[in-house]
Amino acid sequence: MTTAHAPAAASSRPRLNIGQLAIDQLTFPQAITAIGELVDAHQGGYVFTANVDHVVLAETNTRFRDAYQKATISVVDGMPIVWASRMLDVPLPERIAGSDLILPLVKLGAERKWRIFLLGAGPGVAEKVGKQFQAQYPGIEVVGWDSPMVNLDAGDAQNDPIVARIREKDPHLLFVALGSPKQEVWISQVAQKLGPTVAIGIGAGFDFIAGTAKRAPEWIAKAGFEWLYRLTHEPKRLWRRYILNDSQFGVILLRELWKRTGVKPTE
């Protein structure tokens, strides 16, 4: 097994600090380039895509917050944060969803002969996606897929066998589809054991590609209402997240504005 490397340090590129998270000021093409450079550096590291739920969750979830603080690249996956960034004087150019990063990175990987490993989603989903990649992108080498049960409190007894299966294949890029906050915390737990492999959290990305979940039309996402589209399709699972938890984003934004202007929201 290759000797583990520490994740590469975050670059000095401009970042938006909102709540407990820092988000890189990148366009979509710049994000693809930055991730490609990270992979080609063979020093490891990981990539997260921050949305409103992440900003809110980082306020109270210490492990999630710590995972983000160690991320090599953090991009914005949420129009409300893009809009908020303009108010906070560090404008983020555009929304960069984790699901949207997958195919451009696979295409880039096909050109550069990367090996990729797919982790997560339901039984059979990653395998279906992997075979689709191999058919559509000659040159990409899908070296494995796995859909393990992950318990964030299980420690090395659980993580080491999963990591061993990944490291045996020595992938350049690891797509992780465990959902938040599990995927972010798990990636941070195993990052130093992944060696030169770069990990990226992609949420429901495999399900969207495989057709096992329906994604909002692009115009809805650009209008900032993908959350509402998903809520109407999965109300029992998502109502607490979007209605209760994410309502705290407004409070966090007001706090950030207060820190920058010195003027309390009630004044």
Side-chain angles (χ1 to χ4, degrees), residues 18-22 55 58-59 65 68-69 252 255-256:
I18 182 166
Q20 304 297 322
L21 301 189
V55 173
E59 293 290 304
R65 180 168 66 245
Y68 252 97
Q69 289 175 348
I252 296 169
R255 188 183 70 205
E256 292 298 325

Side-chain angles (χ1 to χ4, degrees), residues 7 43 53 60 62 69 73 75 78 94 114 125 133 135-136 165 183 195 197 200 204 207 215-216 238 249 266:
Q43 293 297 312
D53 188 55
T60 55
T62 303
Q69 289 175 348
I73 299 173
V75 297
E94 57 186 313
W114 288 349
V125 174
F133 288 166
Q136 292 183 349
R165 291 195 292 273
Q183 67 191 14
T197 298
I200 177 170
D207 289 302
R215 193 175 182 189
L238 296 176
F249 179 72
T266 54

Side-chain angles (χ1 to χ4, degrees), residues 34 38 75 97 105 118 139 180 184 189 192 195 224 247 264:
L38 185 62
V75 297
L105 287 173
L118 315 181
S180 293
E184 287 81 14
Q189 287 179 345
Q192 293 194 20
S247 63
K264 292 185 179 181

Side-chain angles (χ1 to χ4, degrees), residues 87-235:
M87 302 169 62
L88 298 173
D89 296 326
V90 186
L92 301 172
E94 57 186 313
R95 176 177 180 259
I96 305 173
S99 299
D100 289 334
L101 289 171
I102 299 172
L103 295 184
L105 287 173
V106 171
K107 182 177 183 294
L108 182 62
E111 296 169 358
R112 299 186 181 181
K113 308 300 180 184
W114 288 349
R115 295 178 300 278
I116 64 172
F117 195 105
L118 315 181
L119 186 82
V125 174
E127 179 179 1
K128 180 178 180 179
V129 172
K131 291 179 178 178
Q132 183 176 328
F133 288 166
Q134 290 174 320
Q136 292 183 349
Y137 298 93
I140 196 69
E141 188 177 355
V142 182
V143 294
W145 45 71
D146 196 2
S147 299
M149 295 295 294
V150 172
N151 181 339
L152 295 180
D153 297 319
D156 292 343
Q158 166 198 261
N159 293 338
D160 286 352
I162 299 173
V163 172
R165 291 195 292 273
I166 296 168
R167 292 298 302 125
E168 181 183 7
K169 303 297 185 179
D170 194 24
H172 294 88
L173 186 62
L174 170 67
F175 290 109
V176 182
L178 298 175
S180 293
K182 184 177 288 187
Q183 67 191 14
E184 287 81 14
V185 175
W186 184 81
I187 288 172
S188 72
Q189 287 179 345
V190 303
Q192 293 194 20
K193 298 181 179 182
L194 287 174
T197 298
V198 172
I200 177 170
I202 47 98
F206 292 161
D207 289 302
F208 293 146
I209 293 172
T212 52
K214 191 174 182 180
R215 193 175 182 189
E218 186 176 356
W219 69 269
I220 291 180
K222 287 186 175 180
F225 290 108
E226 185 170 12
W227 67 272
L228 182 58
Y229 180 91
R230 294 188 65 188
L231 179 61
T232 59
H233 283 76
E234 299 181 83

Side-chain angles (χ1 to χ4, degrees), residues 20-82:
Q20 304 297 322
L21 301 189
I23 305 172
D24 292 304
Q25 192 181 40
L26 294 170
T27 64
F28 192 94
Q30 288 171 338
I32 295 295
T33 297
I35 296 170
E37 291 173 347
L38 185 62
V39 172
D40 289 341
H42 302 293
Q43 293 297 312
Y46 57 85
V47 182
F48 290 160
T49 61
N51 58 30
V52 166
D53 188 55
H54 292 189
V55 173
V56 174
L57 192 59
E59 293 290 304
T60 55
N61 189 318
T62 303
R63 290 193 295 182
F64 185 73
R65 180 168 66 245
D66 290 347
Y68 252 97
Q69 289 175 348
K70 298 173 185 175
T72 320
I73 299 173
S74 173
V75 297
V76 58
D77 180 7
M79 285 305 299
I81 301 178
V82 175

